Amino acid sequence: MGAVYGYIRVSSVDQNEDRQAIALRGRGIPEQNIFMDKQSGKDFERPQYKRMVKKLKPGDLLCVLSIDRLGRNYKEIQDQWRRLTKDVGVDVSVIDMPLLDTRNGKDLMGTFIADLVLQILSFVAQNERENIRKRQAQGIAAAKARGVKFGRPPRPLPENYHSAYQRWKAGKITGTAAAKECGMPLSTFRYRAEIYEKAGLL
């Protein structure tokens, strides 16, 4: 029997890893063999994951709670699964999907079933992430349509902005001079002027 390892990934420092940690500890995995990354899954430059893979040896077992901990999309999950099971030579156990446990069914049929389930689940994981992004985009669009504002509110204009604007529009000073008087970049001065002109405030 080789060593048993566990891997946890949460997509940001704000997410809670307790559910994954409890599942891995429930398998009796030593604390020092549990690796965790708290960062976005947008790439695979995850320091703890890479550190763990370097420690893995043929015959070891890697446990993850769900298949999407291995990658951000269908191709990445497939690539990591093959790297771990074929190149490194470790067994992989996906806790919430018992069929995805390479210790079971080492024969041709068992391998075929595991590969088939992996392909289906990794596709489902990617599809769900895309649906979440689509729902988020739809929610933001609906909120904007209701007049909800996103992002930080603009800084209040300096007290002398109106005066500088009027002289700039009358051609008495350049835009650069007006912006300097207001203590803002020329691009910001022009941008704010455009907003206020459209709103009929200047």
Side-chain angles (χ1 to χ4, degrees):
M1 281 288 293
V4 183
Y5 292 86
Y7 179 66
I8 296 170
R9 177 175 65 80
V10 289
S11 60
S12 74
V13 293
D14 297 320
Q15 284 193 344
N16 195 305
E17 71 277 4
D18 286 352
R19 182 168 165 265
Q20 295 178 66
I22 290 168
L24 294 176
R25 290 180 187 123
R27 293 295 177 99
I29 302 173
E31 201 68 37
Q32 68 270 20
N33 284 3
I34 296 177
F35 292 79
M36 179 174 65
D37 281 307
K38 274 195 172 187
Q39 61 190 80
S40 170
K42 66 182 179 180
D43 56 47
F44 238 75
E45 295 303 313
R46 293 182 282 184
Q48 292 302 310
Y49 181 84
K50 293 169 80 172
R51 184 167 158 249
M52 178 194 69
V53 171
K54 285 182 180 178
K55 283 180 171 286
L56 293 173
K57 299 184 296 296
D60 287 346
L61 171 65
L62 171 62
C63 296
V64 292
L65 177 59
S66 57
I67 192 65
D68 60 357
R69 300 305 88 191
L70 290 179
R72 62 180 175 171
N73 57 41
Y74 180 84
K75 183 179 184 303
E76 245 174 26
I77 293 171
Q78 297 276 335
D79 289 347
Q80 290 303 315
W81 183 274
R82 291 193 181 95
R83 179 188 178 196
L84 293 165
T85 60
K86 309 292 191 222
D87 300 342
V88 183
V90 301
D91 280 310
V92 180
S93 172
V94 180
I95 295 171
D96 66 2
M97 180 51 62
L99 279 173
L100 281 179
D101 189 331
T102 58
R103 295 171 298 175
N104 302 329
K106 293 284 188 180
D107 58 5
L108 184 61
M109 181 58 72
T111 302
F112 171 75
I113 291 173
D115 284 348
L116 189 61
V117 172
L118 171 66
Q119 290 187 44
I120 293 170
L121 288 181
S122 53
F123 171 78
V124 169
Q126 178 177 342
N127 195 53
E128 177 59 19
R129 276 190 296 274
E130 290 174 355
N131 285 338
I132 288 171
R133 283 197 293 269
K134 193 179 295 182
R135 288 194 293 270
Q136 287 173 336
Q138 289 170 344
I140 290 170
K144 284 182 176 178
R146 295 195 306 270
V148 176
K149 302 293 184 184
F150 291 88
R152 290 181 298 181
R155 281 178 160 184
L157 290 172
E159 291 182 5
N160 65 337
Y161 185 86
H162 184 77
S163 169
Y165 169 84
Q166 294 291 354
R167 285 182 288 127
W168 168 62
K169 288 300 282 186
K172 294 178 180 178
I173 59 173
T174 64
T176 302
K180 189 174 182 181
E181 279 187 27
C182 296
M184 58 176 60
L186 177 59
S187 58
T188 304
F189 179 86
R190 290 182 181 276
Y191 173 70
R192 297 298 292 270
E194 184 179 338
I195 292 175
Y196 277 72
E197 284 168 5
K198 286 179 179 176
L201 297 175
L202 291 173

